[in-house]
Amino acid sequence: MTVDPQRAGQDRQDLAAALRKLRRASGLSGERLAVRCGMSQSKVSRIETGRTLPTVVDVQQILSALGVDRDTAEDLLGLAQVANAEYEDVRASVQRGLHHRQRELATLESSARRMRHFLPAMITGLLQTPDYMRQAMSPAVDPADGDISRAMTMKLERQALLHDGSKRFDFLLTESAVRWQLCSSSVMAVQIDHLVSISRLPNVHISVLPLTERVPDAPFHTFVTYDDHLVTAELFSGRIVLRDPKDIDYYRRLFDFFVSHSAVGDDARAILETWADDYRAQFMRERD
């Protein structure tokens, strides 16, 4: 699947137009098509006008109901898959203001009931201390310059959601993510202590995947699932947003697979405390 950020909106419109054209060519009314697909007539109308983005499953149902030939169906299913993926460029986020990205994340988090964070590279914003966060938002090789002060304030405000007992947060961190020395040894020790503290919240579950554990798969990139509605995958230059149910199901199963190889609960806390002690010892050596 190729995701072209310049065509995101156009792909949606092309898909809507193609489905509308096929339905009209078949001689079916929107109402008749809706009955065959098991959809409401209003949903079919919203899909054909581009107001609702159909999932790959939706498109498959419509194409089956219309009796479309195999080649045409494959083309449109491929277009539906692309239309359900969006690329968000970090440079565009900087130009708009980094705080807008924080507002978007806050909206996603407030509407979701369960979030799964797979973190193979670094600690995520919801778990960061201010000193760690400041460094994380000031990379040595920055894709674009931007003011981080307002974004930091909003990111810290988002952390209050961790105390909302109606939500569940699952964080899986690899040893590389936790121990990567992004900051000074003293800051790293405090950051890891903070992970231990947060892990004691009843609705927050932190798993740790040590490098000594044999895992028959590789942690390619950071991703977050929001209920069964959406997945975001992080890149250096931005992020990809996936909405197709098959993609979401795949990432949820992938998360569960890595959790099955991880330390959880008290075992995870014991490992984190050992790593924090290592950084404290390093800090003492640096002082001598």
Side-chain angles (χ1 to χ4, degrees), residues 32-263:
R32 289 286 303 282
L33 176 60
V35 171
R36 289 191 180 187
C37 297
M39 299 180 185
S40 67
Q41 192 277 329
S42 60
K43 181 176 180 179
V44 170
S45 176
R46 291 195 304 271
I47 289 173
E48 290 189 354
T49 56
R51 288 177 294 160
T52 291
L53 176 63
T55 67
V56 173
V57 174
D58 289 334
V59 174
Q60 200 162 30
Q61 289 177 316
I62 291 173
L63 296 178
S64 295
L66 294 174
V68 173
D69 65 88
R70 182 175 178 178
D71 289 342
T72 300
E74 287 182 355
D75 287 345
L76 290 181
L77 287 171
L79 184 58
Q81 189 175 13
V82 172
N84 274 275
E86 295 178 2
Y87 174 77
E88 297 179 354
D89 189 340
V90 70
R91 289 183 295 273
S93 295
V94 170
Q95 290 172 359
R96 291 169 52 227
L98 289 170
H99 61 284
H100 287 295
R101 169 72 177 277
Q102 296 304 311
R103 185 175 293 116
E104 291 167 358
L105 288 171
T107 300
L108 278 175
E109 290 159 356
S110 64
S111 60
R113 309 305 293 180
R114 183 175 184 183
M115 286 147 275
R116 299 172 177 85
H117 291 249
F118 180 67
L119 307 168
M122 68 185 300
I123 299 166
T124 191
L126 285 175
L127 301 175
Q128 292 172 358
T129 62
D131 288 336
Y132 185 100
M133 183 183 296
R134 187 173 296 106
Q135 181 59 52
M137 298 189 72
S138 307
V141 182
D142 203 333
D145 294 326
D147 180 16
I148 67 170
S149 57
R150 188 176 178 186
M152 271 193 64
T153 298
M154 296 180 70
K155 184 178 283 194
L156 290 168
E157 289 173 351
R158 283 172 47 219
Q159 295 180 356
L161 207 64
L162 294 173
H163 299 272
D164 183 345
S166 69
K167 298 179 181 295
R168 171 167 171 163
F169 296 86
D170 294 277
F171 299 96
L172 194 164
L173 299 102
T174 66
E175 180 175 348
S176 296
V178 178
R179 303 192 72 175
W180 186 274
Q181 194 168 349
L182 189 72
C183 310
S184 68
S185 55
S186 60
V187 170
M188 293 301 299
V190 171
Q191 173 62 74
I192 299 174
D193 285 340
H194 182 63
L195 295 179
V196 174
S197 177
I198 291 295
S199 75
R200 299 188 188 280
L201 292 173
N203 61 318
V204 175
H205 302 262
I206 293 182
S207 306
V208 175
L209 186 51
L211 289 171
T212 52
E213 179 73 17
R214 182 182 180 276
V215 184
D217 205 342
F220 289 117
H221 58 78
T222 296
F223 66 83
V224 184
T225 69
Y226 298 88
D227 294 330
D228 57 355
H229 306 310
L230 185 138
V231 174
T232 62
E234 298 290 332
L235 309 174
F236 274 106
S237 59
R239 68 174 181 171
I240 295 175
V241 180
L242 303 171
R243 295 183 176 83
D244 188 280
K246 292 181 180 178
D247 290 328
I248 297 167
D249 178 65
Y250 168 70
Y251 275 97
R252 289 172 64 179
R253 288 188 289 110
L254 195 61
F255 187 90
D256 290 341
F257 166 79
F258 283 115
V259 167
S260 71
H261 291 272
S262 302

